[in-house]
Amino acid sequence: MNRDKGYEDEYLDYYRLMLRIRRCEEQIGWLFSRNLTMGTAHLSIGQEAVAVGALAAANPEDYVVSTHRGHGHLLAKGADTARLLAGICGRATGFCRGKGGSQHIAVREIGFLGTNGITGGGLPVATGAALSAKLRRSGQVVLSFFGEGAANQGTFHESLNMAAVWKLPIVFICENNGYAMWTPAERVTSVADISVRAAGYGIPGLTVDGMDPLAVRDATRFAVGRARAGDGPTLLEAKTYRFCGHSKSNNGSKYRTRDEVAAWQERDPLTTWRAQFLAAGVEAEVRRIEAAIEVELDEATRFALESPYAEDEALLGAYAEDAAVITDMTPALLEVGA
């Protein structure tokens, strides 16, 4: 952490958001353990720095497309904690009125185009959103998150190729936590760094420390700047780690050693940043942040559990109220592909 001018307010904001994500994920785990959630849950405990760093480099109007491990991205985009917990608990007050569970949450009003339970399933969605932004000349950029396991899916290659050919305003962000479920990446991936695959599409590829929000932020700023200037996509790889298992149905203890987990936990950004804040003499502010987050999570949990379940709404939102107006986009598409 560099102590540049004004670092305290900005860095404390990063710490606050990383802590909000961590505590929210832990609370989701607690709710799951008591059978209060709908379906399973994939937690991003340990990966908070990627979401916080990447979104720090984006504008509010930019889009985010996420993965099955997407709560952190959603909170970093500005979503309400209480509505997130309510949605995961299947309550009508939650996002998607509780229909999405943990893996299928979309919040259109903040530009969050959805988590996705399919490995690599969000990549074509993000590429389509980037095409939309280019056709509309909106100036928006799309941040497309995915795991290293998705980098071996056809949707990864198809999306990068299309985005590169049409110079779409998108940043592909690989959260490489080393495991596709329980399979070590080196057993199924031919390269050590996913970012080197960018060369095959003629676009920049960067690998950064995913446990450092500043490294992620700075790399994303570069990529977002290129995209907004019309120079096309960038492939950004953040090397990170999940301290928990793949999902709440899998704790990770059978395929990872204690020493491996402990080594990564020594680099936990929440622990290391807190220590640096205390050494810098801002302990009082850190403790205020921590106390406020605890109050926020208590209130969010109470809101979720006291909210009603949605009833008789199976078809609500399944059909458009009015007939859609279909516009012939062929001329614009031809212009993009020229």
Side-chain angles (χ1 to χ4, degrees), residues 209-212 239 243 262-270 272:
D209 181 3
M211 307 302 274
D212 180 358
K239 294 289 184 73
F243 297 151
W264 278 96
Q265 286 179 330
E266 289 181 359
R267 301 182 55 219
D268 182 346
L270 283 163
T272 58

Side-chain angles (χ1 to χ4, degrees), residues 282-300:
V282 291
E283 180 177 355
E285 183 58 29
V286 168
R287 293 193 182 281
R288 280 194 290 270
I289 288 172
E290 292 168 348
I293 293 295
E294 290 306 311
V295 171
E296 177 185 337
L297 264 295
D298 286 345
E299 293 177 348

Side-chain angles (χ1 to χ4, degrees), residues 68 78 93 135 154 161 168-169 227 273 290:
H68 56 279
T93 55
L135 290 173
N161 184 65
L168 300 183
W273 274 50
E290 292 168 348

Side-chain angles (χ1 to χ4, degrees), residues 188-262:
V188 293
T189 304
S190 61
V191 293
D193 296 327
I194 299 297
S195 63
V196 303
R197 291 182 171 175
Y201 303 100
I203 63 175
L206 303 170
T207 294
V208 298
D209 181 3
M211 307 302 274
D212 180 358
L214 303 184
V216 177
R217 179 199 63 185
D218 293 345
T220 308
R221 279 179 177 169
F222 164 78
V224 166
R226 289 190 70 254
R228 223 179 293 281
D231 295 330
T234 300
L235 174 59
L236 172 61
E237 177 186 23
K239 294 289 184 73
T240 184
Y241 200 78
R242 51 174 165 80
F243 297 151
C244 50
H246 169 69
S247 71
K248 290 303 296 179
S249 303
N250 167 277
N251 64 19
S253 63
K254 294 183 178 180
Y255 54 89
R256 304 186 301 184
T257 67
R258 291 181 179 179
D259 288 344
E260 176 184 304
V261 176

Side-chain angles (χ1 to χ4, degrees), residues 6 34 46 63-64 80 95 143 147 153 163 173 176 259 268 272 337:
R34 284 153 179 79
Y63 290 134
V64 168
D80 178 69
F95 293 125
L143 302 187
Q153 299 290 320
I173 303 175
N176 187 346
D259 288 344
D268 182 346
T272 58

Side-chain angles (χ1 to χ4, degrees), residues 146-185:
F146 60 99
E148 82 288 339
N152 294 329
Q153 299 290 320
T155 51
F156 168 84
H157 300 282
E158 294 164 5
S159 297
L160 264 69
N161 184 65
M162 177 178 286
V165 170
W166 284 354
K167 292 188 180 300
L168 300 183
I170 184 170
V171 182
F172 294 102
I173 303 175
C174 176
E175 293 180 296
N176 187 346
N177 61 30
Y179 291 89
M181 296 184 71
W182 51 77
T183 304

